[in-house]
Each structure stands twice: as structure tokens, then as C-alpha cells.
Amino acid sequence: MNWHQIILAILTTHSIFADNAAISVAAESRVTPRERRRSRPRAPDGKYFHEPGGSELGNHYDTRYFNGIQRYEDKQDTQLHMLRSYLLFFRDKGVETWLAHGTLLGWWWNGKMLPWDWDIDTQVSGSSLAYLGEHLNGTIHNYTYTESDPPVTREYLLDVNPHSVERERGDGLNIIDARWIDTSNGLYIDITGLSETLPNEMPGVWSCKNFHRYKTTDLYPMRETMVEGVLAKVPYAYDRILTEEYQSKALVVTEYEGHRWFPDLKEWVRTPGYEIEQAKRELEARKKEDEEKEARKKKEDEENAKAEEDEDEDEEAEEEEEDEDEEQNTKNDKTVDRHVPVKEPKRWIEPQKDGSGPASHPRRRPQ
């Protein structure tokens, strides 16, 4: 048994809280538009969930509850309680969920979240996602953690994307199926569903809308473990999943994103230059976002110019067609005039006489 397996065994049998009273998630209350006007984002562009943007970190907040970027320490505290409340709630409701992506990688290292990661990712099955949408969508959940002074109280919104019933990627605007949102600041957990979208062509292969694919044998049977002091589930072949997604270096590199791994502490510790590195990343992300906006604007301008050009061409074509019709009508009028028969005046005809009999061989009178 290696050190990693030993740690997992310890985490599985020990919790950082003494009893169930330390952390609790109160019964949910249904949100109505009248009670909470902000409970549903407007989506004129077809996208359901919206983020304030403006920077890399700004993309990790829900616009409805955003009130500024959290400090590093505050973000850590928010994510800690957000993940705990989420796992406790799902276990209480009997809905299966498991850790995914960067959250799964953080668990692999030490049963915690990666301190530099602003994303928390979880997954559910397609059937569980449908249940959430039908029975628990739009509910508010009150959370209390009593092993701190003062106790921590938070409020979370479970919001299921109405596009979650569509299991194909579509236009890519709604790849996130649901969110568990901290209503005090807008940070959230992304929840994505896995479904067998091609049961005939690819039986036993589960995928989300972002093209992550898993075999049934990679997911099940799920393993029970501990993360941040609460019970959680991880896929059966978690090591294979992590290696395929992040490559093997993610399991051995000990310096990353301004943090260093200390084996004796079993912790990622922030290095002194973290703020500088983060500022550089922010600058690069902002520059990239500006370039993308400029590219989108340029494309929109070109499309608008092309549309105006096509419209002008259509108008010119219509004018030309009208001129041709008018010219043809004029020609038709003239043609009709030329074919009107002209009635000649009657002329007197003088009979020719041979001197002995009746007149014969009439001829016209000379003009």
C-alpha cells in the first residue's frame, strides 16, 4: 500500500467534524420569481448561465450575485463550505454525485481542493439530473457550520439549466447543466450530467456536453472517500481518468500556479510570487478576452456590411426589374399601335366600256 492509499484510508475513516450537528443543511425552500427576481438570468443570446467576465477570475462568478472578486483567503473559505454543503445536501436527498476534473485532481493529492483552482466541478448521471430539474430546481438551502467562532451560515441556490434536457452540445452555450451557487458572492459549483448519447454506436460510453467521455467500467462501482472532511464519491478508475484528462505530469509536478507541494505537510503552499504570477495571468487573460471581443466585433461588422451590401444589391435588382418591366410594357404598347388596321378611304372606280356591251374589267380611276 503506497502513501496515497494510506492517506485515503485515513480520510475515509476520519472526519474533521465531531458529529452531524457540526454541519447542517436546512430544508430547502422553493424560489418563485416574485420572491427572488434574480433567481433566473435573462438569456437574450440563448445562454442560460451568465458570468460578469472582465477577467479570468470574473468568469467564475454568477452575474446575479456577483459583488466583486474575492480575496484569496475568502475564496478558499467560500469554496470549503460550498463543497461541504453540496455533498451533504446530495447525500441527504439520496442523489448520487461525484468529484470531477480539477476537484478530482485536488482530492487525489491530499483529499482537498487545489488552492489555486477557482472551479469546483462535479458530475451526476442523466437520470439524476432530470430528477434535480423536476423536483429540486430553484430551491434555496441554508447551511450552518458550528465548529467555528462565530458559526458560519450560508445560503445556496440550486439552479438547473432548462437546456439540461438536451443531451447534445448544440451551440455550446449551455454545456453546464446546473449550478450550486453561493448567494452571498456568486461563486458556484458546476454540475454536469453524463448520458449515453450514442447507445447504439457507442454502448457503455457516457459523455457530457463538453466532449468528456467515460466508460461505464471507469465510473462504476463508485468509490467512497472523504474530501474536505465530508463523505464523497469518486469514479472507480479515477487514476486513469485523471491521466487521460491531465496527463501523468499532473500527478507528479510539485510546483504549479504559484504553489509548491510539501510532502511532509501534505499541503500545497502558496509561494511569495503568487500575486505577481496571478497578476500576469490576469493581464494575459484580459488581453486574450479583448482580442476575442475585437475579433467578434470585426466579424459582426463584416456580416452587417455584407448584409447591407446584399440588401443594396437586392434593391438594385428590384429597380432593374421594374425598369425592364416598364420598358417591356412600353414596347408592348407600341406593338399594339403598329398592328391596328388602317381603314383606307373609298375610291371611285370608273367602269371600262368596249363600246358595244355592258361594262367589264373595272379599273381604278387614275390619281
Side-chain angles (χ1 to χ4, degrees):
M1 179 178 291
N2 58 33
W3 69 267
H4 184 243
Q5 293 172 320
I6 294 173
I7 290 176
L8 290 182
I10 294 173
L11 289 172
T12 306
T13 57
H14 178 70
S15 173
I16 65 170
F17 55 91
D19 52 40
N20 293 334
I23 304 177
S24 65
V25 181
E28 70 275 2
S29 59
R30 181 73 61 173
V31 176
T32 65
R34 182 169 297 181
E35 293 170 342
R36 184 177 297 275
R37 288 180 296 175
R38 297 191 304 170
S39 64
R40 288 288 181 273
R42 296 180 180 179
D45 57 356
K47 188 176 186 294
Y48 184 70
F49 291 119
H50 284 80
E51 304 77 32
S55 68
E56 179 187 5
L57 300 184
N59 292 325
H60 300 293
Y61 292 83
D62 187 284
T63 300
R64 293 167 288 175
Y65 303 100
F66 177 67
N67 52 32
I69 302 295
Q70 298 286 294
R71 294 185 306 117
Y72 178 88
E73 294 78 8
D74 295 336
K75 186 271 294 185
Q76 302 290 88
D77 185 65
T78 293
Q79 289 186 324
L80 172 66
H81 293 292
M82 186 160 53
L83 182 58
R84 286 175 175 175
S85 65
Y86 171 87
L87 293 172
L88 287 170
F89 169 76
F90 272 67
R91 181 171 289 272
D92 178 65
K93 295 300 179 183
V95 180
E96 186 176 57
T97 185
W98 57 91
L99 308 182
H101 308 311
T103 309
L104 180 63
L105 180 59
W107 163 85
W108 184 91
W109 278 95
N110 61 351
K112 298 182 179 181
M113 291 175 288
L114 297 172
W116 62 83
D117 196 355
W118 287 75
D119 286 327
I120 297 181
D121 294 293
T122 62
Q123 293 173 334
V124 296
S125 68
S127 57
S128 293
L129 182 63
Y131 176 84
L132 294 176
E134 183 175 352
H135 299 284
L136 296 170
N137 187 24
T139 51
I140 290 289
H141 310 275
N142 295 310
Y143 162 91
T144 303
Y145 178 71
T146 58
E147 286 201 352
S148 64
D149 189 16
V152 176
T153 59
R154 297 288 171 90
E155 183 183 82
Y156 301 98
L157 167 67
L158 176 60
D159 198 359
V160 181
N161 190 332
H163 297 278
S164 62
V165 295
E166 303 166 6
R167 301 314 305 148
E168 299 292 338
R169 181 181 176 87
D171 55 15
L173 294 176
N174 293 285
I175 61 176
I176 302 301
D177 293 310
R179 278 179 177 171
W180 180 262
I181 306 168
D182 188 323
T183 61
S184 68
N185 52 43
L187 285 170
Y188 54 76
I189 295 176
D190 275 336
I191 308 169
T192 53
L194 299 185
S195 305
E196 284 187 283
T197 54
L198 299 171
N200 295 325
E201 296 85 347
M202 302 173 66
V205 176
W206 301 71
S207 63
C208 66
K209 295 179 183 178
N210 208 24
F211 305 127
H212 293 288
R213 292 188 174 91
Y214 311 88
K215 295 180 180 179
T216 303
T217 52
D218 289 338
L219 296 173
Y220 297 99
M222 289 282 170
R223 298 176 183 265
E224 283 215 336
T225 182
M226 301 288 292
V227 64
E228 297 291 2
V230 295
L231 287 171
K233 289 186 177 182
V234 297
Y236 180 78
Y238 59 84
D239 49 352
R240 182 186 307 158
I241 290 174
L242 288 173
T243 302
E244 289 180 356
E245 184 170 355
Y246 297 106
Q247 301 181 354
S248 58
K249 64 180 182 180
L251 309 181
V252 296
V253 172
T254 56
E255 287 193 27
Y256 192 75
E257 292 287 336
H259 292 74
R260 181 176 300 165
W261 173 255
F262 285 83
D264 295 339
L265 299 175
K266 300 294 187 292
E267 291 283 351
W268 287 97
V269 179
R270 184 169 55 163
T271 57
Y274 172 78
E275 288 80 3
I276 297 176
E277 292 183 11
Q278 182 172 333
K280 289 180 179 178
R281 291 196 301 273
E282 283 287 300
L283 185 61
E284 292 175 357
R286 193 174 295 112
K287 181 180 178 181
K288 181 179 179 181
E289 186 173 357
D290 291 341
E291 291 174 350
E292 290 175 350
K293 286 182 179 179
E294 186 177 350
R296 287 196 298 268
K297 187 177 183 304
K298 183 179 179 181
K299 183 178 180 181
E300 289 175 0
D301 291 342
E302 291 176 351
E303 290 176 350
N304 292 335
K306 182 66 168 56
E308 291 178 0
E309 183 180 343
D310 292 342
E311 186 176 349
D312 292 341
E313 290 179 355
D314 291 341
E315 290 179 356
E316 291 177 2
E318 290 177 3
E319 291 177 358
E320 290 178 0
E321 186 175 349
E322 290 176 359
D323 292 342
E324 290 177 357
D325 291 342
E326 186 176 351
E327 184 179 352
Q328 184 64 39
N329 291 335
T330 303
K331 289 180 179 179
N332 292 339
D333 292 342
K334 292 180 179 180
T335 302
V336 170
D337 292 341
R338 283 198 302 268
H339 288 81
V340 172
V342 179
K343 188 176 181 180
E344 296 182 358
K346 293 182 178 180
R347 295 180 180 181
W348 179 82
I349 301 176
E350 180 182 4
Q352 181 69 28
K353 296 180 180 180
D354 59 5
S356 59
S360 61
H361 305 293
R363 63 181 178 82
R364 291 185 184 275
R365 186 177 184 179
Q367 299 294 326

